[in-house]
Amino acid sequence: MSIDYSEKIPNNVDLAGDRKLQRALESWQPNFLTWWKTMGPAVPTEDVYLRTAVAVGREGWAHFDHVAMEEYRWGVFLAERNSDRRIAFGEQKGEPVWQQVPGEYRADLQRLIVIQGDTEPASVEQQRRLGETAPSLYDLRNLFQVNVEEGRHLWAMVYLLHAYFGRNGREEAEALLQRNSGDLDSPRILGAFNEETPDWLSFFMFTYFTDRDGKYQLGTLKESAFDPLSRTCEFMLKEEAHHMFVGTTGVDRVVARAAELMREHDTDEIAPHGGIPLDVVQKYINFHYSVSLDLFGSEQSTNAANYFTAGLKGRWQEERRKDDHVLTDDAARIQLVRDGQLTSDEVPALLALNHDLQSEYVSDCESGLKRWNRVLEKAGVGRRLTLPHVGFNRHVGVFSGHHITPSGQLVGEDAWEAKRDAWLPTEADKTHVRTLMRPVYEPGKIAGWIAPPTHGINDKPFDYEYVHFP
Amino acid sequence: MSTTTDQPEVSFDTEPSAYRHWKIDVDGEIAQLRLDIDEAGGIVPGYELKMNSYDLGVDIELYDATQRLRFEHPEVRAVVLTSAKDRNFCAGANIRMLAQSSHPWKVNFCKFTNETRNGIEDATANSGQTWIAALNGTAAGGGYEMALACEQILLIDDNSSAVSLPEVPLLGVLPGTGGLTRVIDKRRVRKDRADVFATRSEGVRGKQAVEWRLVDEVIPKRQWDEAVAERAAAAAGRSTRPAGAQGITLPPLQREVTADGIRYQHVEARFEREQGLVEITVFGPEGDVPDTVERVHELGAGFWPLAMTRELDDLILRLRTNELELGTWIVRTKGDVEDALAFERVIAEHSRDDWLVNEIRHYFKRVLKRLDVTSRSLIALIEPGSCFAGALLELALACDRQYMLEGFMEEDSQEGEPAQLVLSESNFGAFPMSNGLSRLGSRFYGDDDTVAKLRQETGRRIEAVEAMELGLVTDAPDDIDWEDEIRIMLEERASLSPDALTGMEANHRFVGPETMESRIFSRLTAWQNWIFVRPNASGPDGALRRYGTGRKADFDRKRV
C-alpha cells in the first residue's frame, strides 16, 4: 500500500523523505488500524468533534473538526529542536544531547519507551466499552478525544522505536499491538493497565490520578539526553494536560451534583436519589490514588539511579532544580516502616529518585482535592474529601506488606481488613455506580448523577452535537 | 610493574641471522635447534635471562624458527631441540620477568608460547618434521614444557639433570604452557605421579623419569651425542617428506605502520580508537591463478594464500600484543569470489601431494586457530564486493557474529552483485578448530543433518536472505537498517565488560569435545589466568613477587 505521508500522517519528522520510517510505518499502520477497529471504542459513530494535531505551533495543535474516528490523522510530532541543548544531569552533564541512540544505552532506552508505549493503547482498551454508558455527548466526545490521543501517543513511541532502534525496535512496535489489556496470554506490561475501566467515575479517577502518573513519567523522559525522546515527550505533555482536565472537571461535576442532591434531599445518602455519595467518591479516590502511586515503582530504586546517572531519565523539572544535577553526594529522606513504626530514613539521593517524583505527583494531586473541596464549600456542604496517606493500600515499594490506614496509622492486618469496606469501593458501591451508568446521547441532555460542564469544547455550547451516530 | 602504556611496541619480525637466543644448524635431514640465551637480551628491561630462561623475545625467535624449518627447509625431517649451555637445558620462563609484568602481558605471553608449542606438535603430526627434545641438562618448568611439545624426550643421565615442573611449589602458579595437560594427556603419566611430580620442586631424574613416562629415555653422557643422532636419524627415516624438495624463502614482511593502522599488501587494519575497534580487511587474490604446482613454488612467499596468511598472522599477533584497548575486531574481505575459489582449488588439489601447498594449508589452519583464541570480540561484516568464499569464509565463521548486507547500499550503484557467501569443501574439515571440529561443525554442533544439508550447497553463491535461512549469518539487515544496526551493535558491545566478554566468547567458540589442545586453552590457561590475578601469586606478598627475595610467600589460606 502507499501512503500520502504528509496528508495521511501529519508530521514534523520529514516522513516523506525518510525511507526507513516509511517502510516501518507502512507495515505497522494497517496493523494499528486493525487494532483500533477491534480494540478501540466499541460504540459505532459516524463522526466526532475532535482536535487533531497538525503542527507543533499553537494553532496547528488546536485544529477542531468532525472526523470519522478510523480516519483520524494520527500524527508524529516532536517539539522544536533546540540545537544547543545539553545533557542537564548525570555523569555526562554538560555534553551535547544525543541525536542517535548510543549503543550502550539501547536496551535501557528501548525498555523505557516500550513501557511508556505499552500504557497508551492499554488505556484505550480499558476504556473501550465506556462509550456505551456516556452521560452526555460532551463526555462521549471527551472520551474519544482521550482515546485518539492515547492512540497518537502510541504512534509517538512507535515512531521512536522505528526511527532509532532498527529491527528490534520494529519488533517491539509490533508487540505493542499484540499485548492487550487484560489478555490472559499476552497482557499489558503494567498491572494497573490490565483492569477494565468499568464506569465513568473510574474513568474520571483514572484520567485524574493514573494519567497524572503518565504526565510525571513523561516529564522525566522530557529531560532525557536522548533528544528525540525528550522532544516527543514534551509534545505529548501538552495533550496529556487535556486528559487531566477531563478527570479534574469530571470529578468536579460528580461532586457538584452530589452536593446538589444532598441539599435537595437534605441527606448524605443520595444513592436512592440517583447520585454518587461522597463516601463512595472518597473510596474511589483512595483506590485510584494508591494504585497510581504503585506505578512509580519502589521509592528506593537502583534502576532509577542508573537511568539518572546515564542521562536517560531526569527528575521532574530537572533544569529548575538548584543542585549539582549529579547527586552522587546528596541524601534524601524517605518515609518507611521500621520495627513496627512509620518513620523516615536518610538514603542516597540517587536511590530516592522515584520517591522524589512521587512527591511531586502527590502535591500535584492535592490541588485537585482543594478544588473539589471548594466545590463542596461553595455548595454549603460541610463534608471534605482527602487524599489518603501515601502508604495506604500499597502493593509496590517500601509500604507494601504493611497495613496503613488512610489517615496514616500503622495497624495490624486484621484491623486493616476490618475497615477495608469503609476505605475502598465495595461490590455494593461499584454495583450502585454501575446502575447509574445509562447512556444519554441527546444533545444538551445529561445523566442525573453528574452536573453539566460549565463550558463546552472550543467555545461550542454544551448542547452542540459533538458526536454524530450512523 | 610494566603497564600497557609503558610497554614497548612488540615486533614479531626476525630471521636466523638476527637470533640472539637460538642457534639453528641444518645438516641434511636433521636440524639442530640449540637454545643459547643471551642473558642481557630481554625484550624489555628489568631482568636478566639467567639459566637459559626465556621471555617473549626468545619465543618470537622460536616461532620464527618453527616456521622457517617448515617452509625454508623441506629437507629437514627431524628437529633436535637442545641447549647450547652446559648441564642446563632451560629453566623456563624468567621469573623476574613474570613478576614485573602486567597481567595482560603475562596472558599474551602464555598464549603465544602455547601456540608455538602447538605448532611444534603440528609440524610433527602434519609436516613430517619430528621434533625430539634432547635434554642435555635440567629442564625446569617452561623448559620441560618445551620438551613436552616434542615427540620424544631424551634426558641425559648424569645423576643431576632432571625434569621438573616447580611452578606450584616455588612460584605459586601453574606450569602455564601445557605442562600439566601434556604430562597426563600426551605422556599418560598416572595422575598420582603427576601430582607428586608437579609439587616436587627438584623434579625427577634418571630411571624414575623413564618409569614415570616423563621422558622416553635416559642416555649416559658418554653415549649422548651418538644416541641423539641415532634417534634423530630414525625419526627422519619415518618421515613422509619428499626427497630433494627445495624450500622457499620467507622474506621480511612489508608493512606500513601508522598511528591509524597497519597496511600490508593483502591485509589492512584501520584503528578506530575512540570506538575501541579495529577494522580488518583481507584482500582476495590478485593476478593469475597458478596453473601448475611448479608455478606455486616459483611464486613461493608471493603466492597469495601464503602471503595473505603471513600478513594476517603478523597482524593478529601485533594487535593482540600491542593494541589491548581495541576490543572489537571487525573482519571484512574484499575481492573477487571466483578468484578466491580458484586459488582455493589449487590448495585443495595439491595439499595431499605437494609439501608446500600442504604447509600453506596447515599454516592458514594455525592462523585461524589463533583467531579462535583471540580475546577480542570478532564481528564479520559481509558486504557487496566481499569474498567470503571457501577458506576465506572460515574467517567469518571464526567470528562471534556475522552480519550480511541484504541487497545494496542505497548510495551504491545497483550494479555488480550483492554480498555473497560460498561454501566449499574447505569448510567441512580442512581447517579444524582446536576441538577437532570444523567451524561449521562447531556452529551446528549436534546437528549433523544441517551440516549435511549445507554440504550440498557447496559451490553455490548464497545471498543474504538464504544465508540467514541456512544459519550462516547472525542477521541480514538491508540498506535501510544496516548502518544503525551495525553502529548500535558495536556501541553496545563496546560498553560491556571486556573481561566478561572474553570469558563469554571463549565459552561460546568452543563447543563439544575437548582435545588436549583445547584443554590447554580452556582449562589450563583459564585457571592460570585466575591464579595470576590472585594475591597469592601476584600480590606484594605473593609467591611470584617474593621469589628470589629470600622471603617466603605469605598465603591467604582460604581455599576458593
Side-chain angles (χ1 to χ4, degrees):
Chain A
M1 77 180 275
S2 82
I3 303 171
D4 178 352
Y5 294 100
S6 53
E7 179 54 28
K8 277 261 187 195
I9 306 175
N11 70 86
N12 68 344
V13 295
D14 186 28
L15 185 51
D18 188 333
R19 286 204 309 135
K20 176 163 74 174
L21 254 186
Q22 282 171 23
R23 179 177 67 179
L25 284 176
E26 268 172 33
S27 76
W28 188 81
Q29 200 223 25
N31 294 339
F32 170 80
L33 288 177
T34 307
W35 168 82
W36 179 263
K37 281 175 199 151
T38 51
M39 299 305 289
V43 171
T45 52
E46 190 176 304
D47 58 33
V48 182
Y49 187 66
L50 291 174
R51 180 182 57 192
T52 305
V54 293
V56 285
R58 198 166 231 315
E59 296 99 60
W61 181 63
H63 181 86
F64 285 89
D65 206 354
H66 277 277
V67 286
M69 275 212 287
E70 64 276 13
E71 285 167 27
Y72 187 80
R73 294 155 68 214
W74 285 281
V76 177
F77 290 103
L78 275 62
E80 294 293 351
R81 179 166 162 192
N82 165 7
S83 51
D84 295 332
R85 188 171 168 249
R86 285 176 181 268
I87 301 173
F89 61 94
E91 237 168 28
Q92 299 166 76
K93 191 182 93 174
E95 292 175 20
V97 291
W98 317 318
Q99 300 305 330
Q100 288 289 340
V101 175
E104 182 172 1
Y105 305 123
R106 182 200 61 82
D108 283 340
L109 278 169
Q110 186 173 297
R111 182 82 191 143
L112 286 171
I113 291 168
V114 165
I115 288 180
Q116 181 66 42
D118 196 63
T119 65
E120 313 289 357
S123 61
V124 175
E125 293 164 356
Q126 291 175 292
Q127 297 159 8
R128 71 180 300 258
R129 306 195 70 86
L130 273 182
E132 293 166 358
T133 59
S136 72
L137 286 187
Y138 165 88
D139 289 292
L140 184 60
R141 177 265 163 207
N142 280 350
L143 169 69
F144 291 157
Q145 182 72 49
V146 169
N147 289 167
V148 291
E149 278 169 1
E150 298 295 6
R152 205 202 67 75
H153 291 182
L154 170 62
W155 274 74
M157 294 296 119
V158 164
Y159 159 73
L160 291 175
L161 291 171
H162 280 175
Y164 296 99
F165 293 87
R167 183 170 299 199
N168 226 306
R170 288 204 296 277
E171 283 163 14
E172 287 292 354
E174 208 54 52
L176 287 173
L177 298 176
Q178 281 154 3
R179 283 185 295 269
N180 289 136
S181 179
D183 190 307
L184 290 178
D185 292 329
S186 175
R188 290 292 171 188
I189 296 170
L190 298 176
F193 289 89
N194 284 305
E195 305 290 335
E196 193 190 351
T197 307
D199 57 64
W200 280 77
L201 182 56
S202 297
F203 173 63
F204 293 139
M205 292 292 173
F206 183 95
T207 44
Y208 188 81
F209 289 109
T210 307
D211 277 337
R212 193 170 306 271
D213 160 71
K215 163 181 159 184
Y216 279 86
Q217 300 300 339
L218 288 176
T220 63
L221 296 177
K222 180 177 97 91
E223 305 295 335
S224 179
F226 177 41
D227 202 40
L229 175 61
S230 162
R231 291 162 56 210
T232 301
C233 291
E234 191 176 337
F235 189 72
M236 287 165 73
L237 275 166
K238 293 183 183 175
E239 288 165 321
E240 207 69 27
H242 173 259
H243 307 180
M244 249 128 280
F245 159 85
V246 170
T248 311
T249 58
V251 180
D252 274 357
R253 292 157 54 212
V254 173
V255 170
R257 180 62 180 155
E260 204 177 344
L261 287 168
M262 283 162 73
R263 277 196 321 187
E264 197 177 306
H265 299 282
D266 193 24
T267 175
D268 291 354
E269 297 305 319
I270 55 171
H273 307 290
I276 301 177
L278 290 179
D279 275 348
V280 175
V281 173
Q282 179 67 55
K283 290 188 208 177
Y284 271 64
I285 291 172
N286 292 351
F287 174 74
H288 285 273
Y289 176 63
S290 56
V291 169
S292 300
L293 284 174
D294 277 350
L295 289 173
F296 285 86
S298 181
E299 285 80 355
Q300 276 203 71
S301 162
T302 48
N303 268 348
N306 292 341
Y307 291 157
F308 182 86
T309 302
L312 310 184
K313 201 175 164 185
R315 287 171 296 171
W316 181 253
Q317 305 211 319
E318 182 69 48
E319 285 171 66
R320 294 197 201 165
R321 305 256 183 153
K322 303 251 179 297
D323 54 34
D324 69 356
H325 303 277
V326 182
L327 304 184
T328 41
D329 302 324
D330 294 359
R333 197 154 267 286
I334 64 165
Q335 269 199 306
L336 46 80
V337 176
R338 191 192 298 124
D339 304 330
Q341 298 249 305
L342 259 179
T343 176
S344 69
D345 212 353
E346 199 169 86
V347 298
L350 276 175
L351 293 180
L353 289 171
N354 281 347
H355 173 261
D356 179 88
L357 189 64
Q358 201 189 66
S359 306
E360 297 284 340
Y361 168 82
V362 168
S363 44
D364 195 11
C365 286
E366 273 159 1
S367 65
L369 271 292
K370 275 191 202 135
R371 186 184 160 117
W372 302 328
N373 284 331
R374 261 201 313 277
V375 172
L376 292 174
E377 193 181 346
K378 265 204 224 154
V381 170
R383 173 72 195 265
R384 294 291 176 265
L385 297 167
T386 55
L387 278 184
H389 187 269
V390 287
F392 171 72
N393 191 39
R394 293 291 304 282
H395 297 96
V396 172
V398 292
F399 298 113
S400 67
H402 298 292
H403 296 87
I404 296 168
T405 67
S407 61
Q409 306 297 310
L410 186 66
V411 297
E413 183 175 1
D414 293 346
W416 196 92
E417 286 297 335
K419 296 279 279 179
R420 170 191 276 273
D421 287 355
W423 297 333
L424 291 170
T426 63
E427 273 316 306
D429 296 332
K430 294 182 203 167
T431 306
H432 170 64
V433 172
R434 228 169 10 243
T435 57
L436 299 176
M437 299 296 127
R438 295 267 178 272
V440 178
Y441 292 157
E442 207 178 318
K445 292 280 164 47
I446 187 141
W449 55 270
I450 186 168
T454 48
H455 304 286
I457 295 300
N458 196 29
D459 294 331
K460 299 283 186 240
F462 173 63
D463 61 5
Y464 182 68
E465 220 171 320
Y466 290 106
V467 181
H468 295 130
F469 293 95
Chain B
M1 289 282 283
S2 111
T3 64
T4 54
T5 45
D6 60 26
Q7 175 183 307
E9 187 172 285
V10 175
S11 165
F12 294 79
D13 296 345
T14 187
E15 43 91 24
S17 70
Y19 292 172
R20 295 185 71 172
H21 310 292
W22 293 94
K23 296 199 159 44
I24 186 166
D25 296 301
V26 176
D27 181 10
E29 300 179 340
I30 314 290
Q32 292 261 346
L33 190 58
R34 287 178 299 147
L35 184 58
D36 188 11
I37 284 174
D38 172 358
E39 283 189 10
I43 194 169
V44 293
Y47 51 84
E48 287 181 333
L49 295 172
K50 294 194 168 161
M51 307 281 292
N52 243 13
S53 65
Y54 62 82
D55 68 356
L56 180 61
V58 175
D59 237 80
I60 288 172
E61 292 180 5
L62 175 60
Y63 175 55
D64 185 74
T66 64
Q67 289 290 97
R68 288 185 196 279
L69 283 167
R70 293 178 82 162
F71 284 98
E72 297 189 343
H73 297 285
E75 74 279 15
V76 168
R77 298 165 164 230
V79 180
V80 175
L81 179 67
T82 189
S83 157
K85 300 266 199 283
D86 191 32
R87 301 172 62 149
N88 180 17
F89 174 71
C90 172
N94 185 276
I95 307 310
R96 286 183 199 283
M97 177 277 291
L98 287 177
Q100 79 172 32
S101 294
S102 69
H103 182 70
W105 180 273
K106 288 200 283 280
V107 170
N108 261 322
F109 167 67
C110 287
K111 185 173 286 175
F112 178 70
T113 52
N114 267 317
E115 288 169 329
T116 303
R117 277 136 199 77
N118 289 342
I120 288 173
E121 285 178 334
D122 188 58
T124 302
N126 296 308
S127 285
Q129 279 186 345
T130 301
W131 283 58
I132 296 171
L135 309 182
N136 54 334
T138 288
Y144 178 54
E145 289 178 296
M146 212 185 284
L148 283 167
C150 297
E151 184 68 5
Q152 291 177 46
I153 304 177
L154 313 176
L155 174 62
I156 196 162
D157 192 7
D158 60 0
N159 284 311
S160 66
S161 294
V163 294
S164 66
L165 292 177
E167 284 87 345
V168 172
L170 292 187
L171 306 172
V173 298
L174 303 182
T177 37
L180 297 181
T181 316
R182 286 197 175 90
V183 163
I184 54 168
D185 271 42
K186 183 177 180 182
R187 303 211 51 98
R188 309 282 161 90
V189 176
R190 238 169 52 201
K191 78 161 186 176
D192 55 334
R193 285 176 171 168
D195 189 281
V196 172
F197 175 61
T199 50
R200 184 196 278 182
S201 59
E202 74 275 24
V204 175
R205 57 188 156 82
K207 289 205 169 55
Q208 191 181 30
V210 178
E211 197 184 316
W212 285 21
R213 312 171 66 124
L214 294 166
V215 303
D216 293 285
E217 209 177 334
V218 284
I219 297 164
K221 203 166 179 185
R222 280 173 290 111
Q223 298 158 19
W224 177 252
D225 290 340
E226 192 185 338
V228 168
E230 270 174 30
R231 303 300 173 271
R238 292 190 297 271
S239 173
T240 52
R241 284 237 146 178
Q246 278 290 313
I248 61 159
T249 308
L250 299 179
L253 289 173
Q254 301 300 312
R255 83 175 88 70
E256 189 190 337
V257 180
T258 65
D260 303 323
I262 306 178
R263 175 77 218 229
Y264 305 82
Q265 194 187 345
H266 307 290
V267 178
E268 178 190 66
R270 287 195 302 117
F271 305 157
E272 302 289 345
R273 295 196 187 277
E274 208 150 291
Q275 295 150 265
L277 59 85
V278 51
E279 305 202 50
I280 298 170
T281 306
V282 174
F283 295 89
E286 278 170 29
D288 296 340
V289 184
D291 42 9
T292 62
V293 75
E294 287 71 33
R295 176 72 184 136
V296 171
H297 284 255
E298 244 173 73
L299 288 167
F303 180 47
W304 171 80
L306 177 56
M308 178 274 291
T309 303
R310 288 184 74 205
E311 293 174 355
L312 184 59
D313 191 18
D314 190 62
L315 177 68
I316 293 172
L317 290 173
R318 293 179 73 100
L319 290 177
R320 272 194 339 200
T321 313
N322 299 329
E323 297 293 348
L324 303 183
E325 291 190 16
L326 302 180
T328 303
W329 292 4
I330 293 176
V331 179
R332 290 186 176 88
T333 53
K334 210 169 187 166
D336 187 84
V337 169
E338 279 313 318
D339 288 351
L341 288 171
F343 273 79
E344 186 192 67
R345 273 195 295 277
V346 175
I347 303 280
E349 233 167 83
H350 299 288
S351 72
R352 239 175 243 280
D353 47 274
D354 184 77
W355 71 268
L356 175 59
V357 174
N358 180 55
E359 283 304 338
I360 294 170
R361 178 167 75 84
H362 284 291
Y363 185 21
F364 189 60
K365 172 195 75 180
R366 294 194 298 278
V367 171
L368 288 168
K369 284 184 179 182
R370 261 206 225 289
L371 211 46
D372 293 333
V373 295
T374 291
S375 54
R376 303 290 191 278
S377 295
L378 306 177
I379 311 285
L381 296 186
I382 306 163
E383 296 159 318
S386 68
C387 53
F388 285 105
L392 283 180
L393 178 60
E394 290 291 309
L395 289 174
L397 294 172
C399 288
D400 298 298
R401 299 187 190 186
Q402 302 76 22
Y403 289 84
M404 188 166 182
L405 177 70
E406 188 201 330
F408 298 89
M409 290 305 278
E410 195 186 359
E411 64 265 30
D412 291 356
S413 66
Q414 305 280 310
E415 287 163 24
E417 288 174 288
Q420 298 168 338
L421 298 178
V422 183
L423 291 164
S424 79
E425 273 303 307
S426 302
N427 305 116
F428 297 87
F431 305 105
M433 300 174 63
S434 68
N435 58 10
L437 303 177
S438 66
R439 283 174 191 77
L440 278 179
S442 289
R443 189 178 182 89
F444 298 103
Y445 182 63
D447 186 0
D448 297 343
D449 290 353
T450 296
V451 177
K453 210 179 99 193
L454 287 171
R455 204 157 191 152
Q456 294 173 352
E457 309 294 337
T458 53
R460 230 161 42 68
R461 292 173 176 240
I462 298 169
E463 295 185 6
V465 172
E466 201 188 351
M468 192 70 192
E469 279 164 13
L470 292 172
L472 294 171
V473 296
T474 313
D475 203 354
D478 62 15
D479 61 321
I480 298 181
D481 283 333
W482 179 260
E483 229 164 272
D484 267 2
E485 292 283 334
I486 302 300
R487 178 186 63 79
I488 289 177
M489 176 267 299
L490 292 173
E491 286 181 8
E492 205 163 22
R493 195 79 174 181
S495 73
L496 302 177
S497 155
D499 299 334
L501 283 177
T502 296
M504 182 193 79
E505 290 155 1
N507 272 280
H508 289 158
R509 287 179 197 170
F510 301 97
V511 297
E514 289 277 20
T515 63
M516 186 178 76
E517 196 178 315
S518 74
R519 292 213 308 127
I520 287 169
F521 287 112
S522 66
R523 198 169 302 186
L524 182 60
T525 307
W527 279 111
Q528 176 77 312
N529 293 349
W530 175 70
I531 293 166
F532 270 159
V533 294
R534 295 278 298 160
N536 282 342
S538 54
D541 307 325
L544 205 50
R545 303 282 293 279
R546 284 255 169 113
Y547 181 77
T549 63
R551 297 173 62 203
K552 252 181 68 183
D554 188 7
F555 290 133
D556 174 352
R557 288 281 158 201
K558 285 192 284 299
R559 293 291 287 257
V560 181

